Amino acid sequence: MAIAWRAGAVIAAAAAALGPAAGGGVAAASAAGSSPGPATAGICVVKTVTVGHGPFGVAVNPRTSTIYVSNSKAGTVSVISEKTSTVLATIPVGEDPTAVAVDQRTNVVYVTNADSNTVSVISGATSTVLATIPVGTNPLGAAVNPQTNRIYVSDMFSNTMSVINGKTSTVVATVPAKGLPVGVAADAHTGTIYVARTGRGLLSAVSGKTGRVTATVRVGKWPYAVTVNPRTDTVYTANDLGNTVSVVNGRTSQVTARLTVAYAPVGITVNPLTNTVYAASGSGTVSVISGKTSRVTGTVKVGNWPVGIAVDPASGRIYVADSGGDKVSVLAACTS
């Protein structure tokens, strides 16, 4: 997944509360950065889809060719057909829906409702809400491990991560995550959960078996979103206030590179089949990063204040929530 947003007011309030030490430098852990790259990367916006007000999070179910978009200011989720690029359904959820995560095996969608302090559980088959689960305060991030049927939710103002049993739709554990946790990613191959402790500039690895933190590394200033490539065991963080993407070796928990991208990167996703990373920035662009070389290979202009971003590995299409334009941009290979 990918998440993003709340940059303005939340950043200002949280940073003030944490003081100047929050989100400090990476120091010796980081490698040399790279420039934002050339203006194009072989992909273009091929379509735009109008959704609800304030689109925020995006998730894709490749098995059903369906995209889910949370509309933060409308309290709804838009269901989009990948084949036709049309909205199939609009589902009412809680207040200020933010992150979206999909369990491909069960065809169930999980949406965090930041102002309701809940998670909505949606049937992908019927586009209806199956359950509403109370979690911590201000849930902003979500990730699914389909191997274990566990869902992980970052509770920003509770400084915790809620663990949900997908079978029972109940919270079965709460993991401490001090430092305003936001982004969450699950590596289904290793069972490791990665949570960005945004206010402190840290990324923590959590064992999916024990719920204990196994490693913590300083990544950059205000790491907001996280994604992981299970094929290479590499983790990427979008560092909002640093205008960078950090590359972390999942085996050693060391930062191997820090790449300069466009202003305010707040969403990030990876296509494991092509080993390509996509970072959405508030400047209105998506940076394309080679996972093989850890270099920015190009940028693509999208809509107004892009936030959440997701990719369908099968089709190669990328979906970006343009929060300022109430649209989703569809990126694919340029035809001309």
Side-chain angles (χ1 to χ4, degrees):
M1 154 242 90
I3 62 172
W5 167 94
R6 274 178 121 91
V10 171
I11 284 178
L18 286 168
V26 175
S30 66
S34 69
S35 65
T40 60
I43 57 173
C44 304
V45 176
V46 295
K47 289 183 180 180
T48 59
V49 182
T50 300
V51 290
H53 193 24
F56 179 99
V58 187
V60 177
N61 188 338
R63 292 191 176 186
T64 62
S65 298
T66 308
I67 300 93
Y68 299 89
V69 181
S70 62
N71 304 307
S72 63
K73 296 179 181 179
T76 60
V77 170
S78 295
V79 183
I80 300 173
S81 165
E82 187 169 15
K83 295 180 180 179
T84 64
S85 294
T86 57
V87 175
L88 302 175
T90 301
I91 307 168
V93 286
E95 295 182 30
D96 195 8
T98 49
V100 187
V102 176
D103 189 328
Q104 299 178 31
R105 288 192 170 188
T106 61
N107 195 17
V108 175
V109 185
Y110 299 88
V111 181
T112 61
N113 303 304
D115 288 348
S116 299
N117 303 325
T118 60
V119 171
S120 294
V121 183
I122 297 171
S123 165
T126 63
S127 294
T128 57
V129 176
L130 302 174
T132 301
I133 307 169
V135 289
T137 306
N138 203 229
L140 287 184
V144 170
N145 185 340
Q147 301 289 347
T148 60
N149 199 11
R150 291 291 187 270
I151 302 87
Y152 300 88
V153 176
S154 61
D155 308 314
M156 186 179 188
F157 291 145
S158 293
N159 288 304
T160 57
M161 181 174 68
S162 297
V163 183
I164 296 171
N165 182 325
K167 186 176 182 179
T168 62
S169 293
T170 57
V171 174
V172 293
T174 302
V175 179
K178 292 183 179 180
L180 304 176
V182 179
V184 186
D187 188 332
H189 178 68
T190 64
T192 303
I193 314 305
Y194 296 95
V195 55
R197 295 161 61 186
T198 304
R200 295 187 178 181
L202 303 174
L203 177 73
S204 288
V206 179
S207 167
K209 291 183 178 180
T210 66
R212 294 184 178 181
V213 175
T214 58
T216 297
V217 60
R218 187 170 296 278
V219 286
K221 198 171 185 181
W222 206 264
Y224 200 80
V226 187
T227 193
V228 59
N229 186 339
R231 290 195 167 195
T232 62
D233 203 2
T234 306
V235 190
Y236 301 88
T237 66
N239 307 317
D240 183 5
L241 296 184
N243 302 328
T244 58
V245 167
S246 293
V247 184
V248 180
N249 184 317
R251 299 180 186 90
T252 64
S253 296
Q254 295 294 314
V255 176
T256 59
R258 182 171 25 166
L259 316 176
T260 301
V261 292
Y263 171 75
V266 286
I268 195 161
T269 191
V270 62
N271 186 336
L273 298 184
T274 62
N275 197 14
T276 306
V277 182
Y278 304 93
S281 294
S283 59
T285 59
V286 170
S287 297
V288 183
I289 299 168
S290 165
K292 183 178 181 179
T293 64
S294 292
R295 294 287 177 180
V296 178
T297 60
T299 58
V300 183
K301 182 67 178 176
V302 287
N304 183 14
W305 199 267
V307 286
I309 184 168
V311 62
D312 183 340
S315 69
R317 291 197 166 198
I318 303 104
Y319 298 88
V320 186
D322 301 327
S323 64
D326 296 342
K327 296 180 183 298
V328 170
S329 292
V330 184
L331 279 63
C334 301
T335 56
S336 61

